[in-house]
Amino acid sequence: MTATPTDEHRKLQVIGKDVLADGVVAVRLADPDGDPVPAWDPGSHIDLVVDASTVRQYSLCGDVEDGTSLTVAVLREENGRGGSKWVHDHLQVGDLVGIGGPRNNFRFEPVPSCLFVAGGIGITPLLPMLRAADAAGSDWRLLYGGRTRNSMAFAADLAARHPDRVEIRPQDEFGLLDLAGALDTLLAGAAVYCCGPEPLLQALEGECRTRPGITLHVERFAAKERPADAVDGVFEVELVQSGTSVTVQADESLLDAVLRSGVDVPFSCREGTCGTCEVAVVDGEPDHRDSVLTGDEQAANDCMMICVSRSRTPKLVLDL
């Protein structure tokens, strides 16, 4: 996720870096002057500033009650764009690193019955949710899959703490997760929270379409595929607060057009996954292409992520 962020980033110090599993490290951050770290709630993520032009988003997986530090877990992605390799190979205890946020696009609301589904590093945003569900007295279960047992961070601890609630299912031992079987045990009104790779999310979304009594919440850490019928046409955007209008060309993003007009707007991922660039829509119909808003939120057409989304109408009016 490469960007030139326009918002300021707070500097925190690395106070711990530990190997959690094959290819996964935990990084703990604290204020160098001993001040409290920003408050957050389950499902939140922070921006981690790799360098002056590169930012990555990582879910917080520590204790929400701990005001002294923030913890993220980072999977080394050999075929990624370098952010995770930088964390693994270069970030050291004692280093200062810029952060943005926390922000939350994956909020947890306790209900009497919850199913959590994690794929690989997708376990990280679910950990604080498990604690919150426990504290709320919810009847919850976790279905956790990964490539191999050794690659699954937190798996042994979770299984030891909650042997009756947690199913650890590495693919090389059990094959693909039995999503249908897990969903079949849920009662109407249950909530499902899932984070993991795109094939897992799509499979779970497909299973939940036939179960209208279940509410599904997902978080993607990679951009959705471009819609097959997507057309990048020219459209006009009126910026209400700044009193200007700009033409968005077919070969540029709405975000780039807004920046080109001289209007400052915060952004980070440029992939529609982090939610930083959310803007209120005053008039017009967005062509939503983000991975943040739910279907109902997209249908409301009162906000949009301007880094990837475009317009279905000749003109959009934004609160910028």
Side-chain angles (χ1 to χ4, degrees):
M1 300 178 183
T2 302
T4 304
T6 56
D7 54 344
E8 293 185 0
H9 291 92
R10 178 177 175 180
K11 291 284 189 180
L12 295 183
Q13 188 169 39
V14 180
I15 61 169
K17 184 178 178 183
D18 303 295
V19 176
L20 299 178
D22 288 348
V24 181
V25 295
V27 177
R28 287 187 298 124
L29 305 166
D31 188 275
D33 298 320
D35 293 334
V37 295
W40 58 283
D41 53 355
S44 296
H45 68 267
I46 58 171
D47 297 332
L48 203 63
V49 180
V50 175
D51 55 38
S53 64
T54 306
V55 177
R56 299 292 185 267
Q57 287 76 42
Y58 296 108
S59 296
L60 292 167
C61 58
D63 183 354
V64 296
E65 301 297 329
D66 178 11
T68 66
S69 67
L70 301 174
T71 301
V72 296
V74 179
L75 170 67
R76 184 185 180 95
E77 298 185 70
E78 295 297 341
N79 298 320
R81 285 163 290 174
S84 66
K85 291 181 181 179
W86 174 80
V87 171
H88 277 252
D89 297 342
H90 300 292
L91 193 62
Q92 302 295 328
V93 172
D95 288 351
L96 290 176
V97 61
I99 71 155
R103 287 184 294 274
N104 198 339
N105 306 314
F106 191 38
R107 294 191 182 278
F108 174 67
E109 298 291 341
V111 294
S113 178
C114 300
L115 172 66
F116 300 96
V117 181
I121 199 62
I123 188 63
T124 51
L126 301 185
L127 292 175
M129 294 186 185
L130 301 182
R131 301 185 193 104
D134 230 18
S138 298
D139 179 15
W140 65 268
R141 291 185 299 115
L142 169 67
L143 183 61
Y144 180 12
R147 292 179 292 103
T148 65
R149 193 173 294 271
N150 289 339
S151 71
M152 298 170 66
F154 308 104
D157 181 64
L158 286 167
R161 288 176 180 270
H162 307 285
D164 299 328
R165 294 182 183 268
V166 174
E167 293 183 67
I168 306 298
R169 293 292 184 268
Q171 187 173 348
D172 64 340
E173 298 176 31
F174 296 93
L176 297 177
L177 294 178
D178 181 9
L179 301 177
L183 293 172
D184 285 343
T185 65
L186 298 179
L187 300 176
V192 179
Y193 288 84
C194 178
C195 184
E198 188 64 21
L200 171 62
L201 300 182
Q202 291 186 5
L204 189 57
E205 287 172 335
E207 291 288 347
C208 286
R209 288 192 192 102
T210 63
R211 297 170 170 84
I214 294 173
T215 303
L216 174 62
H217 308 266
V218 302
E219 181 168 61
R220 286 175 159 86
F221 44 70
K224 284 183 178 178
E225 290 186 7
R226 176 185 169 89
D229 60 350
V231 177
D232 295 343
V234 177
F235 60 97
E236 296 293 317
V237 176
E238 179 183 344
L239 310 178
V240 174
Q241 292 185 37
S242 60
T244 63
S245 293
V246 60
T247 300
V248 183
Q249 301 298 329
D251 60 351
E252 71 175 338
S253 69
L254 173 50
L255 170 63
D256 284 335
V258 170
L259 295 173
R260 174 168 55 80
S261 74
V263 175
D264 195 20
V265 58
F267 66 97
S268 181
C269 75
R270 285 186 175 268
E271 292 187 335
T273 60
C274 74
T276 306
C277 67
E278 180 176 343
V279 173
V281 177
V282 178
D283 194 22
E285 183 183 352
D287 178 7
H288 296 287
R289 302 182 186 181
D290 66 276
S291 304
V292 176
L293 300 174
T294 65
D296 289 343
E297 289 170 337
Q298 290 185 348
N301 285 328
D302 57 5
C303 66
M304 66 186 298
M305 305 301 156
I306 64 172
C307 68
V308 292
S309 298
R310 299 184 69 81
S311 182
R312 295 186 181 276
T313 49
K315 182 179 180 179
L316 278 179
V317 182
L318 303 181
D319 187 20
L320 278 175

